[in-house]
Amino acid sequence: MSRGRGRDSSVWLRGALLGLIVIVPGARPDPITGTAVSSPNWEILVTDFGYADFALDRRPGFVGREYLSGEWATAVGYVTPDGPAGPRWLQPLWLYPDWTSNSDFGVEQPVEPPGRNTPTNQWGFPVLRSVVTNAHLRVVLTYEMIDTGMGIAAGIVPRTQSRPPGFLRTDRYVFRQTCSVTNRSASLLRQVRLFQFVHGLESRCAAFDDRDYGGPLGEFHYDLTLQGRSMARDSRTGETVWLHDVLTLHVDHPPAAWECGYFGRWNVDSHITGKPPVGVHWSVETNGLSGLDWFMPPEGRYVSGALALDLGDLAPGEGVSRTFLLSVATWKVQLLPVRVLAVRWESPGNLVLAVASTNAAAGRLGLATTPVLGLNGASGWRPVWRTACETDPGAPDCYHFVLPVEPAQGAAFYRVETWLPP
């Protein structure tokens, strides 16, 4: 299984459910351990602190391909009688880039089944748990995969923008992590705040969208969605394909704060060792999430985001639980013929494209743009990240794109892409 992270290639072997990740000798050894929380389509490997550096594809042809290639990490902050504590990360050592965090948590119980026998949830997936503590808090972390049947909505339009709302449908299998935070000290802890951070190595943009699009788990409609593209090899055919990947952090409580931004800068900061000098992780540590709900870095990569949930004041022995979801979605991007049905303007300043797919296997259609037609290579076309196609209820094979066009935007060209199941 190729690591495929922009570092020297190494071969990886995935262990059993409660096993370790074992590295076969390569150019750079990584001290990564993790427990696989798996579904038929993908899995995530979590440490005892609820941190993950790996989310891996399990689909035929792409087994071992990474979705996350970055970070899934939890932090908590509060005020003690002696003053503020944190926010502090639960995970002491972050990986690729490798750096030591401000964590003061230790492991009370490693990731394992919560009882003598491994329990399963209603979908038949194992339920796992770990417990970490510091001087004031005991945090119980529960991990499981759930089957939503059809996937859930991942909002992609920033909450403060007037663009038409839009979402993408995720993979049917969703990772659920529940954090139960209890005051184990003898004093009142005030203003307890829980943070969840996500970074995807190949992600190119991030948006925070709080619209309710309904569907399964519709209450988890506070979404921080990362989108990106990467090339991958289909081991079944040997061909290299373009994949459009989506990673979304969902919560079911209105967050107190959020931020989309950097996790270091591509081709500027090291992404191998050392704490990235800029990024959302610094805002978490200073309890200063900016409220920025859209970010697309000029460097092209190293995008992250975080949500903060207020838990209130906790008396000695009192606890509160919150649940985070992590979903993935992926499509193979191809340029296949489509039928253009209509191009029209709608007020105020919206361009509407109506097209029909000619491929029965299409999962959906996507849109890309370029300012100059001569740039026909892959690097010359940029996905229109904040626009999703909507189907016409009267014509299921008809898709509509609605594009806000600013008067000063200038000329642009668009092409419709066919997104196929990988």
Side-chain angles (χ1 to χ4, degrees):
M1 183 160 49
S2 176
R3 186 76 166 120
R5 305 176 54 138
R7 63 174 85 179
D8 292 334
S9 296
S10 298
V11 178
W12 290 77
L13 300 177
R14 187 175 65 247
L17 176 65
L18 297 179
L20 301 179
I21 294 301
V22 181
I23 185 169
V24 176
R28 178 179 181 268
D30 294 282
I32 297 176
T33 62
T35 300
V37 184
S38 302
S39 75
N41 290 350
W42 71 285
E43 65 186 1
I44 185 170
L45 283 78
V46 294
T47 70
D48 299 332
F49 300 90
Y51 169 92
D53 187 56
F54 288 99
L56 304 175
D57 204 329
R58 300 187 69 189
R59 301 169 192 270
F62 300 97
V63 174
R65 186 184 69 92
E66 293 192 60
Y67 285 107
L68 194 62
S69 303
E71 277 71 32
W72 168 262
T74 307
V76 63
Y78 49 92
V79 178
T80 74
D82 297 322
R88 296 185 182 277
W89 299 104
L90 303 190
Q91 173 75 10
L93 176 63
W94 288 45
L95 303 163
Y96 195 70
D98 303 339
W99 54 280
T100 301
S101 80
N102 63 359
S103 174
D104 62 353
F105 283 85
V107 178
E108 178 182 303
Q109 175 189 304
V111 179
E112 62 185 18
R116 178 173 298 179
N117 299 314
T118 303
T120 56
N121 59 24
Q122 67 186 84
W123 302 277
F125 294 117
V127 178
L128 301 172
R129 184 179 70 181
S130 64
V131 182
V132 297
T133 61
N134 68 1
H136 301 101
L137 296 176
R138 183 175 189 262
V139 182
V140 179
L141 299 155
T142 305
Y143 319 95
E144 59 190 321
M145 283 287 182
I146 61 177
D147 185 356
T148 67
M150 59 182 290
I152 62 178
I156 61 172
V157 178
R159 69 185 299 270
T160 59
Q161 296 190 9
S162 59
R163 304 174 71 95
F167 68 94
L168 299 173
R169 184 70 63 181
T170 75
D171 186 81
R172 64 184 291 179
Y173 300 106
V174 174
F175 173 66
R176 180 162 67 188
Q177 178 172 304
T178 300
C179 303
S180 299
V181 180
T182 300
N183 180 359
R184 67 190 294 256
S185 75
S187 303
L188 175 70
L189 300 180
R190 296 184 296 108
Q191 301 173 31
V192 181
R193 177 170 281 191
L194 188 66
F195 300 82
Q196 188 63 40
F197 174 92
V198 63
H199 157 59
L201 185 69
E202 299 293 345
S203 298
R204 309 301 175 96
C205 67
F208 172 64
D209 186 353
D210 60 0
R211 300 170 181 88
D212 186 352
Y213 296 103
L217 297 174
E219 65 274 19
F220 284 86
H221 63 84
Y222 303 96
D223 301 337
L224 200 155
T225 298
L226 311 182
Q227 296 186 69
R229 292 202 167 172
S230 62
M231 299 183 72
R233 179 180 177 273
D234 187 337
S235 63
R236 296 166 298 183
T237 63
E239 68 174 330
T240 299
V241 298
W242 269 104
L243 295 179
H244 186 110
D245 283 333
V246 182
L247 284 163
T248 304
L249 159 63
H250 313 256
V251 296
D252 59 347
H253 285 71
W258 54 84
E259 182 177 336
C260 302
Y262 283 110
F263 184 59
R265 294 158 298 185
W266 187 46
N267 283 342
V268 177
D269 303 317
S270 172
H271 217 67
I272 299 176
T273 59
K275 185 177 183 179
V278 297
V280 177
H281 55 302
W282 286 97
S283 299
V284 170
E285 293 181 9
T286 58
N287 195 17
L289 295 179
S290 67
L292 186 66
D293 60 8
W294 170 251
F295 181 70
M296 187 174 68
E299 298 85 0
R301 286 169 57 191
Y302 296 171
V303 173
S304 71
L307 303 179
L309 301 179
D310 281 344
L311 307 186
D313 298 342
L314 297 182
E318 185 178 5
V320 176
S321 293
R322 291 290 183 267
T323 297
F324 301 106
L325 304 180
L326 177 64
S327 67
V328 303
T330 190
W331 293 272
K332 181 167 63 175
V333 179
Q334 290 193 349
L335 295 180
L336 299 176
V338 297
R339 289 184 292 119
V340 178
L341 304 178
V343 179
R344 65 179 185 272
W345 288 98
E346 285 185 355
S347 59
N350 289 331
L351 174 64
V352 178
L353 306 178
V355 297
S357 174
T358 60
N359 190 303
R364 65 182 299 115
L365 299 180
L367 200 65
T369 185
T370 182
V372 181
L373 259 187
L375 299 176
N376 290 320
S379 61
W381 291 88
R382 178 174 57 83
V384 183
W385 302 107
R386 291 171 286 180
T387 297
C389 61
E390 299 291 338
T391 57
D392 186 335
D397 63 340
C398 178
Y399 296 89
H400 291 87
F401 294 95
V402 181
L403 302 171
V405 178
E406 301 295 335
Q409 181 173 317
F413 299 90
Y414 295 91
R415 74 181 184 190
V416 178
E417 305 169 333
T418 300
W419 292 6
L420 300 169

